[in-house]
Amino acid sequence: MTEQRVLIIDDEPDIRELLEITLLRMGLDTLTAGNVEEALAQIQAHEPNLCLTDMRLPDGSGIDIVRFLQKNYPQIPVAVITAYGSMDAAVEALKAGAYDFVSKPVDLPKLRDLIQTALKLTSSEKHQRSKAPEDYDSQGRILGSSPAMQTLKSTIGKLARSQAPVYIHGESGSGKELVAHEIHLQSPRQKAPFIPVNCGAIPENLMESEFFGHKKGSFTGAVSDKQGLFQAAHKGTLFLDEVADLPLTMQVKLLRAIQERAIKPVGGLEEISVDVRILSATHKSLEHEVAAGNFRQDLYYRLNVIKLKVPPLRERQDDIELLADFFLKKIAERWQMPAIKLSLQARQILLSYSFPGNVRELENILERASTLCEDNTIQADDLQLPQVIQSSTTNSHQHSSSRSVLLSVPPDLVSPYAPQTPVSNATNAAAEQLWTPHTDEEAERTMIMEALDQTRWNRTKAAELLGMSFRQLRYRIQKYELDTH
């Protein structure tokens, strides 16, 4: 008996029998149910690898099945079968968490492809669950442990299970393509191509050929057949970046390709079926572009089945240090040079900066600073941030230095919002002896150890004493491999 089992849910016996025969010929075990109540009982008793459900059932709908699985068995993918032309119902199911949909009358070859792809989810998700979350970061994929990034990573995991189009929006430099790639890598399509394309970079007169390919002799310069982006992404993911830049004429053709799941090369006579998941992104507001008449509303609804926001860096400042250390390590490896470090003052300035260019700007700042620094240590001046930022930070440092020094934290490291906790004169004296303008990481490690010892390893109180956030302290404890007691 095979380990893969599919539950078929339909109130029409003839359709259940047809689907059951099709699946048995594929070497799959089957279960059947004629209504929601029977289906839930079968799911709870057998936990199938996949559910196929009709949308209309005597005691509910396919949406009820989808929601039940999302809440109780999120590892089980579910595909819904809809009446021909019931696109609104299909979209609703996709938003609720359905993997995909098929229309009646059922196209059996397409159904078989859907089932084979969906069944990869179980083994794929088992693999993902067996990996520690840190594996993603160590591979240089999506970095960050802030609440905003934890929410984003959780959402990506859910979206990866679906075939629904996802519209990714966020500011320039926030990492929209990285998010799209992560959705692909966690999906059952991970072994197939991920094809990113910048829609604004393709000349309008070549756009149709780029997307759909062309036949030899179809236009001047077409000296051979060419495969388009849709064919290149077959069985995989096509990421349409800056999709708002598509001209209206191309939007019509793209809409048809997505609806029909087929393309016709320029100069070709026959349509070619393609199995592609569409992810799209832009830094513009597609809603505003639709209102202005620059983007088709029907294409907008087709792309925007699920909307995913990528947070700007200023909304996840707890991740700045982690990202900075990752980029510096990457820069040093690329240039084959010793490890590059940030001075404490430079680190604090980065934490005070708003990064209008987001993660891309942080990487560019560090790339530039790495070429300017001496002794492989980036100082504040090497960052070359706008003068207003450095002045503001310097003023804050001067303001904080007029207070009693917190523990043995140098004035340059103290946040202007840190609590004014009284400490002993002996501690102040130790701080003054310890601090120099070039305090290194060993000094910072010593300060953190002193704060932890004084607070009996109460990390919340130690962070307050040091003028850091809790997550900044936790990151440093991990970085310096301190005993967490």
Side-chain angles (χ1 to χ4, degrees):
M1 179 180 292
T2 179
E3 294 182 354
Q4 292 182 310
R5 180 182 291 118
V6 180
L7 173 60
I8 302 166
I9 310 162
D10 200 299
D11 61 333
E12 297 185 34
D14 290 346
I15 293 180
R16 287 203 305 270
E17 184 178 356
L18 171 64
L19 295 176
E20 191 171 11
I21 292 172
T22 301
L23 271 60
L24 288 172
R25 287 176 176 172
M26 294 174 66
L28 301 171
D29 281 347
T30 60
L31 300 166
T32 61
N35 54 48
V36 173
E37 183 179 359
E38 291 178 8
L40 300 189
Q42 292 277 38
I43 291 168
Q44 292 170 325
H46 302 288
E47 291 194 29
N49 302 93
L50 170 67
C51 290
L52 289 176
T53 179
D54 191 20
M55 279 296 290
R56 294 185 178 182
L57 297 168
D59 55 345
S61 73
I63 301 287
D64 298 326
I65 305 292
V66 174
R67 289 172 178 158
F68 174 81
L69 288 170
Q70 280 291 298
K71 181 179 179 181
N72 301 285
Y73 301 90
Q75 77 279 8
I76 302 176
V78 53
V80 297
I81 303 172
T82 68
Y84 180 78
S86 300
M87 186 50 60
D88 290 343
V91 169
E92 184 182 357
L94 291 172
K95 288 183 176 180
Y99 168 75
D100 206 346
F101 70 94
V102 290
S103 298
K104 292 180 179 179
V106 177
D107 184 321
L108 293 181
K110 288 184 178 180
L111 177 65
R112 283 191 286 268
D113 287 343
L114 183 154
I115 291 170
Q116 289 172 347
T117 305
L119 286 174
K120 294 178 184 178
L121 277 171
T122 304
S123 57
S124 173
E125 290 203 342
K126 284 181 180 177
H127 174 66
Q128 294 294 346
R129 288 196 297 272
S130 68
K131 295 166 63 177
E134 290 77 15
D135 286 349
Y136 294 130
D137 296 347
S138 67
Q139 293 172 17
R141 280 151 70 172
I142 290 189
L143 293 163
S145 58
S146 63
M149 289 306 293
Q150 289 175 0
T151 299
L152 179 65
K153 289 180 180 181
S154 174
T155 304
I156 286 172
K158 294 176 183 177
L159 296 183
R161 300 178 61 252
S162 171
Q163 292 298 288
V166 179
Y167 166 49
I168 305 167
H169 70 110
E171 298 176 7
S172 293
S174 58
K176 296 185 290 296
E177 182 173 338
L178 188 64
V179 168
H181 199 190
E182 187 68 16
I183 293 173
H184 172 78
L185 289 174
Q186 293 192 39
S187 77
R189 296 176 178 266
Q190 59 184 254
K191 294 183 180 179
F194 173 80
I195 306 293
V197 53
N198 187 330
C199 297
I202 304 174
E204 185 172 351
N205 63 327
L206 297 177
M207 196 162 280
E208 186 175 0
S209 171
E210 287 295 315
F211 275 98
F212 308 134
H214 63 247
K215 293 295 184 179
K216 178 180 178 180
S218 56
F219 55 85
T220 302
V223 296
S224 62
D225 289 354
K226 177 186 176 181
Q227 186 182 67
L229 293 167
F230 269 82
Q231 288 175 279
H234 184 58
K235 298 292 185 181
T237 304
L238 181 60
F239 174 55
L240 305 176
D241 197 9
E242 300 303 344
V243 70
D245 293 337
L246 284 172
L248 288 169
T249 53
M250 188 61 203
Q251 291 176 31
V252 177
K253 296 170 182 177
L254 177 62
L255 175 63
R256 188 180 187 284
I258 295 173
Q259 285 179 333
E260 302 299 325
R261 302 186 185 186
I263 54 100
K264 182 184 290 186
V266 177
L269 300 177
E270 297 181 356
E271 287 193 332
I272 301 171
S273 295
V274 287
D275 175 13
V276 173
R277 186 182 188 184
I278 301 291
L279 306 178
S280 61
T282 181
H283 72 282
K284 299 179 180 179
S285 168
L286 275 187
E287 293 87 348
H288 292 164
E289 293 298 302
V290 170
N294 298 325
F295 202 84
R296 291 180 62 95
Q297 189 175 53
D298 47 6
L299 179 58
Y300 167 72
Y301 286 132
R302 181 66 69 174
L303 296 175
N304 190 29
V305 173
I306 298 175
K307 192 173 185 178
L308 178 63
K309 180 184 178 183
V310 182
L313 188 54
R314 64 180 174 275
E315 292 181 6
R316 54 183 188 105
Q317 288 191 312
D318 289 342
D319 295 329
I320 290 174
E321 288 189 279
L322 178 64
L323 288 164
D325 288 341
F326 169 75
F327 288 138
L328 289 176
K329 181 180 179 181
K330 188 171 75 169
I331 291 167
E333 289 175 351
R334 184 168 66 245
W335 292 351
Q336 296 184 338
M337 60 187 297
I340 307 167
K341 299 180 181 179
L342 279 169
S343 71
L344 297 186
Q345 188 178 17
R347 194 175 289 268
Q348 194 68 14
I349 287 175
L350 289 179
L351 292 173
S352 304
Y353 187 49
S354 63
F355 290 100
N358 293 294
V359 179
R360 186 184 297 135
E361 182 182 13
L362 171 61
E363 184 173 12
N364 291 341
I365 287 171
L366 294 174
E367 185 98 32
R368 181 177 64 243
S370 297
T371 66
L372 299 174
C373 71
E374 297 180 1
D375 301 323
N376 296 315
T377 300
I378 296 174
Q379 303 294 338
D381 291 343
D382 298 325
L383 297 176
Q384 293 190 348
L385 293 180
Q387 189 63 36
V388 63
I389 299 296
Q390 296 199 31
S391 299
S392 172
T393 307
T394 303
N395 290 339
S396 296
H397 296 159
Q398 292 172 349
H399 174 68
S400 59
S401 65
S402 66
R403 304 179 305 198
S404 60
V405 179
L406 300 181
L407 203 64
S408 54
V409 182
D412 297 64
L413 189 60
V414 178
S415 164
Y417 303 104
Q420 299 186 31
T421 307
V423 294
S424 66
N425 290 333
T427 304
N428 281 335
E432 291 171 2
Q433 292 176 357
L434 178 63
W435 172 248
T436 68
H438 299 287
T439 299
D440 58 16
E441 291 185 348
E442 186 57 37
E444 182 180 50
R445 186 181 190 278
T446 301
M447 297 172 200
I448 292 171
M449 283 297 298
E450 289 182 12
L452 291 167
D453 288 341
Q454 181 167 325
T455 59
R456 297 183 180 181
W457 281 81
N458 184 320
R459 283 180 282 183
T460 300
K461 291 182 178 179
E464 292 176 355
L465 209 59
L466 289 163
M468 301 177 182
S469 73
F470 178 82
R471 287 188 176 83
Q472 288 170 348
L473 177 61
R474 183 176 63 184
Y475 169 71
R476 284 172 165 85
I477 289 173
Q478 294 173 346
K479 176 182 177 181
Y480 295 135
E481 299 181 350
L482 301 177
D483 181 7
T484 56
H485 288 203

